[in-house]
Amino acid sequence: MTTLQPGDIAAPQAGSVKRTRTRLGILALLAVGTMINYLDRTVLGIAAPEVSRDLGINAATMGIVFSAFAWTYAVMQIPGGMFLDRFGNKITYALSLVFWSVFTLLHGMTLGLKTLLLCRLGLGISEAPCFPVNSRVVGKWFPQHERARATAVYTVGEYVGLAAFAPLLFWIMESFGWRALFIVTGVVGILFAGVWWVRYHEPENSRSANQAELEYIGGRGEAGPEPKMHFDWSNVGKLLKCRQMIGAGIGQFAGNTTLVFFLTWFPTYLATERQLPWLKVGFFAIMPFLSAAVGVLAGGFISDKLLKATGSANVARKLPIVTGLLLASTIILANWMPTDAGVIAIMSLAFFGQGMVGLGWTLVSDMAPKNLAGLTGGLFNFCTNMASVVTPLVIGFIVAGTGNFFYALIYVGGAALLGVVSYLFILGDVKRIELD
């Protein structure tokens, strides 16, 4: 009879050992981290009118400030992916959390345009590895048939945080000033970095996942240690030549255009175009963000159901995303809505559709070459976040030039239709990329 030594895991016998669910705890960490990530990058959208008035910034210049975050965020995607593939999920995400939270806090101490721009640039550098880490963790901890739902759950953090905390954030700003918003959210992120460091482990190092769960993950997923990869520019070139990367990048750029509008200019749109008072803006903003959260969950649920029913990753991944982009394009109709309730209804429908587009990160888990998940996610996020560079600038100059948001909404809806074309005609088959 074999005696188990301390630390050994007994092999499960059929029907005798129930699989643990440690991966759900890991998913909760990703969801909370993503929520903090988006609160920190978008709290400026809430504070923008007060910041503009306090620091003497006009609409065109504020568009540059919004965009500045994305300059470094996009540029650092490839280096961030390199760092991730070299040092792994735990270290990369912990460092990212600490630095982006410090830069968020420093926003509250800015004295003028120059220091505000420096804070935005630093925030972009620090947050760059976040979503490549998320995608890599899902690939490690979840089998393929659970990845769309897992991606939906952590992605919903982008929207739930803003929906849940928007009234509180507007109240903090009215009661204590806009600087308090950045200090509070920065401190929260620093505290969560400690939680991540203590609680996150890779599957092979986990003490809470039993053998049954590890086999479940390893049998259909990508659990198990990976060799540390050294960066090679040739891999970047090879990935950029793949139609899957080109199609997914353009498609996600299009969907992200809608997201960026809501994260930057939407509160200003309600306050200036619709003439709503600030506390009312906070409550009116809840519905579109809640709708987007439902869209994220719906996209993931539908995708996994379609994958199970059809066995086709093409149908399961593309159909929800294309449907979401078509719904996002309806944002144009807000230009002709006479009532505030009608505008919020259209905005909610469009943002619901954009939420479904968040499924694009599941494509990265499905398509990334072995051992290059970080680099693939970085390239994908670079393409995606070019929208964060372009959209605030375009909208800022449109509003400064015309005095309203009419053509801005047409731009956002038109970008969504571009995404439909990309996913239908450029992406090709959803399958693992094989590099020569």
Side-chain angles (χ1 to χ4, degrees), residues 248-273:
I250 295 173
Q252 207 71 1
F253 167 90
N256 210 46
T257 298
T258 305
L259 175 61
V260 171
F261 166 76
F262 279 97
L263 298 183
T264 56
W265 284 107
F266 180 54
T268 302
Y269 167 80
L270 293 180
T272 60
E273 190 93 349

Side-chain angles (χ1 to χ4, degrees), residues 374-389:
L375 179 59
T376 306
L379 285 171
F380 176 78
N381 215 19
F382 174 83
C383 298
T384 300
N385 281 281
M386 288 307 295
S388 300
V389 175

Side-chain angles (χ1 to χ4, degrees), residues 250-310:
I250 295 173
Q252 207 71 1
F253 167 90
N256 210 46
T257 298
T258 305
L259 175 61
V260 171
F261 166 76
F262 279 97
L263 298 183
T264 56
W265 284 107
F266 180 54
T268 302
Y269 167 80
L270 293 180
T272 60
E273 190 93 349
R274 308 303 304 187
Q275 299 295 312
L276 296 178
W278 273 117
L279 283 179
K280 198 170 183 181
V281 168
F283 284 99
F284 266 62
I286 291 176
M287 284 307 300
F289 281 97
L290 285 178
S291 298
V294 174
V296 170
L297 294 174
F301 178 81
I302 292 169
S303 179
D304 280 344
K305 287 293 185 182
L306 286 172
L307 184 64
K308 184 177 180 180
T310 67

Side-chain angles (χ1 to χ4, degrees), residues 34-53:
T34 302
M35 180 181 71
I36 295 171
N37 179 291
Y38 266 77
L39 281 174
D40 286 5
R41 76 170 69 176
T42 59
V43 70
L44 180 61
I46 292 174
E50 294 296 322
V51 173
S52 297
R53 186 160 40 250

